[in-house]
Amino acid sequence: MSGPRSLLGIADLPADAIGRILSTAEGFGSVMDRDIKKVPTLRGRTVVNLFLEPSTRTSTSFELAAKRLSADVVGIKGAGTSMDKGETLKDTILTLEAYDPDVFVIRHPQVGACALAGRYTDAAVVNAGDGTGEHPTQALLDLYTVQREIGPVAGLHVAFVGDVLHSRVARSGIQGFRRMGARVSVIAPPTLVPRHLGTGLGAEVSADIRDISDADIVYVLRMQLERMGNGGFVPSLEEYARMYQVNHARLRPGQRVMHAGPVNRGVEISGALVDDPGSLIEAQAANGLVVRMAVLYDVLAEAAADGSAVREAA
Ligand code: CP
């Protein structure tokens, strides 16, 4: 194994690679329980976090992950860069190349931006969300959360509910859960489901919210108002909430609820359900740290070649 590898989408990860990353995350989890939470695993490595679209969870956890692994970290956010002056993504990557980064973690509003960036650098590129494309590290932390909080993913039924059309979380999540052996369905108004979703990603599709009764996990998707332009996808948010909001009245005992965040309380999910200690939303956010540590470790393939760095760290 040599040289860095990128993580652009779930297609890059066969089931054994997902298993390897989740097990590395477990190892880092035990490190995070110590008083001193920093390990020397990526000392001397440079991680550039280039976030050109808003983020709280992903940007914070990637920055903290790199720091906990002792890497040098540079954080660049949308406003205030030379991209405001018209510099292209290509030229930004070529400029940052001068500082010899090992990993670019990139969030960008355009689908395919991370793959494009990868053409102009020898560093690994990690997709931290590209428009409506993919969000592979979200899928990994979701799998990790289910494994820890519920048990093996294989055989579970996961229902994604809501705005699948604009959701990179769903696109990566459907693939990730299917690859690990879950049954996946999608429940949404037909206007918010991409054409060919069922045939393309192998999810069952329904427009009837009552079909969530069959699921072990109800994964609520944010209504991505910022991607809806002049609207027309639903009659109104009130009507959407009336027809599709996930709330206590629509769940049966024992069902677990996930949401990648940020949430629109009272729209796709009730505030009471967000605050319910049984929901997995807080665990998802917390688990982002160790899973992103594992991803940074994994893409730097030479260091991961024999697993010794994690064993030493643990
Ligand atoms: N789930 C997620 O990607 O959240 P942020 O947009 O806050 O990073």
Side-chain angles (χ1 to χ4, degrees):
M1 215 180 284
S2 66
R5 51 188 162 208
S6 290
L7 175 55
L8 301 178
I10 289 296
D12 293 334
L13 297 174
D16 63 337
I18 292 176
R20 180 184 68 232
I21 292 170
L22 301 190
S23 124
T24 305
E26 283 283 353
F28 286 132
S30 55
V31 174
M32 291 307 107
D33 292 337
R34 297 181 191 164
D35 283 348
I36 296 174
K37 302 182 191 318
K38 203 159 172 160
V39 291
T41 314
L42 296 187
R43 186 180 290 150
R45 305 291 192 145
T46 302
V47 176
V48 175
N49 289 330
L50 182 57
F51 276 72
L52 302 173
E53 208 187 43
S55 169
T56 299
R57 282 148 281 267
T58 314
S59 60
T60 307
S61 56
F62 262 119
E63 181 173 342
L64 210 44
K67 287 179 172 166
R68 295 271 164 92
L69 292 168
S70 303
D72 295 321
V73 194
V74 183
I76 301 170
K77 295 245 178 182
T81 69
S82 290
M83 294 184 94
D84 288 348
K85 303 176 198 164
E87 188 167 70
T88 63
L89 178 62
K90 170 184 169 178
D91 288 327
T92 301
I93 296 293
L94 291 174
T95 301
L96 294 168
E97 271 290 284
Y99 309 116
D100 203 17
D102 296 287
V103 185
F104 280 105
V105 176
I106 301 176
R107 171 166 289 191
H108 196 282
Q110 300 297 329
V111 176
C114 300
L116 179 80
R119 289 198 216 152
Y120 303 110
T121 176
D122 292 329
V125 175
V126 176
N127 182 355
D130 61 333
T132 58
E134 279 221 40
H135 197 353
T137 63
Q138 180 70 48
L140 290 169
L141 76 86
D142 291 338
L143 289 166
Y144 181 81
T145 300
V146 169
Q147 212 172 265
R148 276 180 70 87
E149 303 288 334
I150 300 175
V153 171
L156 293 175
H157 178 188
V158 184
F160 285 85
V161 181
D163 182 3
V164 188
L165 183 66
H166 300 104
S167 177
R168 57 194 175 210
V169 168
R171 233 167 301 281
S172 290
I174 292 169
Q175 295 177 72
F177 278 110
R178 293 250 309 140
R179 187 142 315 144
M180 300 312 279
R183 172 184 165 199
V184 176
S185 56
V186 156
I187 298 165
T191 49
L192 290 177
V193 178
R195 288 175 70 199
H196 311 306
L197 177 101
T199 46
L201 296 182
E204 300 160 38
V205 180
S206 164
D208 188 342
I209 189 66
R210 288 172 297 188
D211 287 340
I212 63 173
S213 63
D214 211 19
D216 301 296
I217 297 167
V218 179
Y219 199 120
V220 188
L221 299 170
R222 184 171 69 86
M223 284 293 273
Q224 303 213 11
L225 307 174
E226 75 279 17
R227 298 194 205 278
M228 290 191 187
N230 292 331
F233 293 95
V234 292
S236 67
L237 288 182
E238 291 74 18
E239 179 69 0
Y240 176 81
R242 196 178 67 75
M243 295 287 290
Y244 286 98
Q245 182 187 93
V246 178
N247 51 42
H248 283 102
R250 288 198 158 123
L251 294 172
R252 60 171 170 73
Q255 285 183 304
R256 305 300 295 273
V257 173
M258 301 180 81
H259 191 307
V263 301
N264 295 310
R265 281 174 185 259
V267 181
E268 71 268 3
I269 186 168
S270 67
L273 198 50
V274 175
D275 297 331
D276 188 322
S279 96
L280 297 176
I281 301 170
E282 260 185 53
Q284 288 173 270
N287 290 333
L289 174 58
V290 289
V291 170
R292 288 174 173 131
M293 287 173 78
V295 166
L296 291 176
Y297 173 75
D298 203 75
V299 295
L300 293 170
E302 315 94 297
D306 62 2
S308 57
V310 165
R311 281 200 296 276
E312 280 162 24

